[in-house]
Amino acid sequence: MVSTGALRAHLLAARLAGPVAASRAESLRGYRLFAARDPRVLLGLDPEWTWRLRDLTALMARKCGVSADPRQVSGHDVIDPELTLAALDAFADRLAAVAQRGGPVLLGTGHPHRLLAFYAALADALSSAGCAVLTPAQGLSVDITTRFGLRTHNLDYVRGVALMREPGPVRPGRTTGAHTHSPLPVRTALAAAADAGGPLPELVIGDHGWVCGAGQLGFEAIGLGDPGDPALFVGEAEGSVSVAVPLDDAARPGHYLPLTRYVLNRACLSQ
């Protein structure tokens, strides 16, 4: 069991909260692109409200703890660990709710190199609690726009967690896939589940496009996001995302283990 105090200390020591790797300049650039409705940062969200730079800066200050002053343009961004802890509690409460009713779930990540083990532990625990961990559209191809142009990726599942892989044979011991913000994978998975006659997930768990893409389609979605990804927090503010947890989502994989233990314990899903 990880106490709140111990987790707060870990968040700061591992730089998952407090001063994080993301720069203030990078975050402000993301806010400007979001305000311009650039699809690269909308992550599948179609915002209902008009979001200007000052609106986004104020929102991210409330949701993440970053500076509310758009004139602060340098240095590292800062996440308030108290906001992270509160959001993790809400995240765990949604896990507990779906586990209590044994609802089907879908998990997916655009950060497989960092967060796969975190989500896989949730998938294992939810499966043990009687939830069906869905794996629709396995092996289907998805064309995703990258900085190198349009690239075809294949949807795969590792320990119940969806991720995207570049085409080609999987080398022995290679369990991780491609980094992506695209909502196309979750749209593909949900469409395949619907075409097969269900079941459809009662809860989608993940990050990036997996959360915003599912939430935009009306599915309850919870996930992790850093200060440079305003879409998750806009989705939460508008009601299409159930819970957005502010933290650095690109840290070393082992740094997320205490979060896993804390969330599973709070959700009463610890083995």
Side-chain angles (χ1 to χ4, degrees):
M1 178 177 175
V2 179
S3 70
T4 301
L7 184 57
R8 182 187 298 105
H10 172 74
L11 291 171
L12 294 171
R15 296 189 66 185
L16 297 176
V20 294
S23 74
R24 176 67 170 177
E26 290 171 346
S27 295
L28 288 173
R29 178 178 179 273
Y31 304 164
R32 292 189 186 96
L33 291 173
F34 190 97
R37 293 189 174 241
D38 189 310
R40 292 174 295 176
V41 297
L42 292 177
L43 308 185
L45 199 68
D46 184 12
E48 296 181 9
W49 307 341
T50 298
W51 291 91
R52 294 161 295 187
L53 176 60
R54 66 174 179 268
D55 303 321
L56 290 164
T57 306
L59 174 74
M60 298 302 283
R62 293 195 306 272
K63 295 286 189 180
C64 299
V66 302
S67 172
D69 185 356
R71 295 171 297 180
Q72 182 180 334
V73 298
S74 62
H76 290 280
D77 248 332
V78 177
I79 297 174
D80 184 344
E82 298 303 325
L83 295 175
T84 303
L85 291 167
L88 284 172
D89 287 348
F91 183 99
D93 291 346
R94 301 317 303 149
L95 293 180
V98 75
Q100 287 170 5
R101 60 181 183 266
V105 296
L106 175 66
L107 299 95
T109 181
H111 265 305
H113 297 81
R114 307 298 185 183
L115 293 168
L116 178 60
F118 173 76
Y119 295 122
L122 303 186
D124 290 343
L126 289 166
S127 178
S128 296
C131 296
V133 177
L134 306 180
T135 57
Q138 182 159 14
L140 288 188
S141 296
V142 182
D143 291 331
I144 297 176
T145 300
T146 72
R147 58 179 175 165
F148 305 109
L150 198 65
R151 295 289 186 269
T152 298
H153 293 72
N154 298 325
L155 201 158
D156 197 6
Y157 289 85
V158 175
R159 293 178 58 193
V161 182
L163 50 83
M164 301 307 295
R165 294 191 192 278
E166 296 179 357
V170 178
R171 296 191 298 271
R174 180 186 176 191
T175 60
T176 56
H179 175 215
T180 178
H181 287 207
S182 175
L184 295 178
V186 74
R187 292 174 184 167
T188 300
L190 292 170
D195 290 345
L200 294 173
E202 293 186 15
L203 182 66
V204 177
I205 305 160
D207 46 62
H208 293 167
W210 284 93
V211 177
C212 293
Q216 183 63 42
L217 293 174
F219 292 87
E220 183 178 10
I222 63 176
L224 315 179
D226 68 23
D229 291 328
L232 276 80
F233 302 96
V234 169
E236 187 179 41
E238 292 189 345
S240 58
V241 171
S242 183
V243 179
V245 180
L247 52 70
D248 186 337
D249 59 6
R252 295 167 61 179
H255 288 337
Y256 300 101
L257 181 57
L259 279 70
T260 307
R261 293 171 177 161
Y262 180 86
V263 165
L264 291 180
N265 181 71
R266 169 145 183 128
C268 299
L269 292 172
S270 298
Q271 300 296 319

